[in-house]
Amino acid sequence: MGQLIQLDADTQHHWVQVLRGKPGDQAEAVDAAEQLVLLTLTSATTAEVSQALENNVELPIEVTVVAGLPKQDKAEWIVQKATEMGAFDVVFFRC
């Protein structure tokens, strides 16, 4: 940890201009090795990797989405979106 990284132009703009970031502000990011890290802004163009964070993307509970049977081909879209949000199960019922 403690590695200084150069922020790309889009990240600089978003963090400093849009979010009004100041040196010392922190944010979570994914590095080139796809690891979740905590960054500390050191200047408008650089940040320091403060620490590696645990990358736990699973929900702490099993979520079931229950929905009325949709018309046409919407069921596949509902299942896709529910899965993207981390749902454990999708149940359709006739109503």
Side-chain angles (χ1 to χ4, degrees):
M1 299 302 98
Q3 175 188 2
L4 269 176
I5 59 169
Q6 185 73 27
L7 301 174
D8 62 53
D10 289 339
T11 303
Q12 288 176 26
H13 172 74
H14 188 72
W15 200 351
V16 176
Q17 302 296 321
V18 176
L19 297 177
R20 301 181 195 280
K22 298 175 187 65
D25 288 352
Q26 295 183 320
E28 292 180 358
V30 178
D31 66 9
E34 297 183 7
Q35 298 295 316
L36 183 63
V37 294
L38 182 65
L39 296 178
T40 302
L41 191 63
T42 55
S43 73
T45 60
T46 60
E48 179 183 3
V49 177
S50 301
Q51 70 183 71
L53 300 173
E54 183 179 330
N55 190 6
N56 186 3
V57 297
E58 296 297 323
L59 293 174
I61 59 172
E62 291 183 357
V63 175
T64 300
V65 174
V66 180
L69 195 57
K71 295 179 181 179
Q72 299 165 352
D73 61 345
K74 301 264 193 253
E76 183 178 336
W77 182 85
I78 291 170
V79 170
Q80 177 187 359
K81 296 305 172 186
T83 303
E84 289 172 1
M85 293 188 304
F88 179 76
D89 200 7
V90 180
V91 177
F92 293 105
F93 67 97
R94 195 175 291 226
C95 60

